[in-house]
Amino acid sequence: MDAGGRGVLTEIRGRRVLLRPFRAEEFDEALSLRREEDRSGAKVLQRAHVVSEEALRRRLALSSTLTKSEILFALEADGKLVGEIQARCSEDALPPGVFELGIEIYDPADRGRGFGTEATGLIATHLFEVEGAHRLQASTEVGNVAMRRLLERLGFSFEGVLRGFMSSVDGPVDHALFGMTLADRSGAS
């Protein structure tokens, strides 16, 4: 434990990316990027519920520490903050050992460069080897071909469509659900 009573912070280094805690000086940038349309001008999905800025700051302050609801990492590449990745594990929503992954690359110019693939692979390995995961799952808009391919490349299996799963500015959006179990991963090695 550190002086504030938090668990030991985790950093996960890959070949090109670093998963690490958010730095206090990055909080305003991360909050701003969550509130605005993405830099390409496309409408982003609306959050299922509005979370206060104070709650988001607490969440960022706990990044890289497994809490009772998630482990969140800042995603750094080329020495700069390019996004975030999290594994949600709320005991109110998921059984023990099951994590739901989410990733956001903030700037469209940083997408398609392999940062998301490497980060997702790193967090998957960490969850299975360190956090006791036996199942990982992730969903993405049905039409998000790049994310679907990323998940399949990493060994996730398509499990079905969650109809009307997320709200967007244009109405409910269908999501494709992908999953991977510890047995899948062990068999793939």
Side-chain angles (χ1 to χ4, degrees):
M1 295 272 182
D2 70 7
R6 292 174 46 184
V8 176
L9 299 178
T10 301
E11 282 192 352
I12 306 169
R13 185 170 299 278
R15 190 175 61 79
R16 297 178 55 215
V17 303
L18 173 64
L19 306 183
R20 59 162 175 79
F22 276 89
R23 298 177 183 128
E25 65 269 18
E26 295 170 331
F27 287 12
D28 288 336
E29 177 185 7
L31 293 171
S32 171
L33 290 166
R34 291 173 144 273
R35 281 193 299 260
E36 298 174 6
E37 293 178 358
D38 75 19
R39 295 179 188 173
S40 68
K43 297 288 184 191
V44 295
L45 291 177
Q46 297 172 342
R47 304 285 177 203
H49 59 282
V50 178
V51 179
S52 72
E53 184 172 311
E54 180 182 322
L56 286 171
R57 285 183 182 280
R58 279 194 309 270
R59 192 170 163 240
L60 294 173
L62 289 171
S63 60
S64 85
T65 303
L66 181 62
T67 69
K68 66 180 181 177
S69 61
E70 74 173 348
I71 185 168
L72 169 70
F73 290 98
L75 171 50
E76 179 181 309
D78 298 332
K80 70 173 187 163
L81 177 66
V82 297
E84 61 188 71
I85 189 167
Q86 73 276 84
R88 296 174 293 277
C89 58
S90 172
E91 58 193 40
D92 295 333
L94 298 168
V98 176
F99 291 83
E100 183 162 14
L101 304 181
I103 185 168
E104 185 172 354
I105 306 293
Y106 299 138
D107 188 337
D110 289 323
R111 297 177 190 155
R113 300 181 59 197
F115 301 146
T117 301
E118 185 175 353
T120 303
L122 289 170
I123 199 168
T125 298
H126 176 78
L127 293 169
F128 282 127
E129 294 180 0
V130 177
E131 304 298 347
H134 63 82
R135 174 184 166 80
L136 305 181
Q137 61 189 41
S139 70
T140 188
E141 285 187 35
V142 169
N144 187 344
V145 175
M147 187 64 184
R148 292 178 70 151
R149 285 184 182 150
L150 177 157
L151 292 167
E152 289 170 347
R153 217 173 15 254
L154 291 172
F156 285 79
S157 298
F158 173 70
E159 296 183 338
V161 174
L162 303 167
R163 297 181 311 138
F165 184 66
M166 290 288 271
S167 297
S168 79
V169 294
D170 299 320
V173 176
D174 294 347
H175 269 226
L177 178 65
F178 291 80
M180 177 192 294
T181 66
L182 181 58
D184 295 337
R185 188 168 178 93
S186 299
S189 298

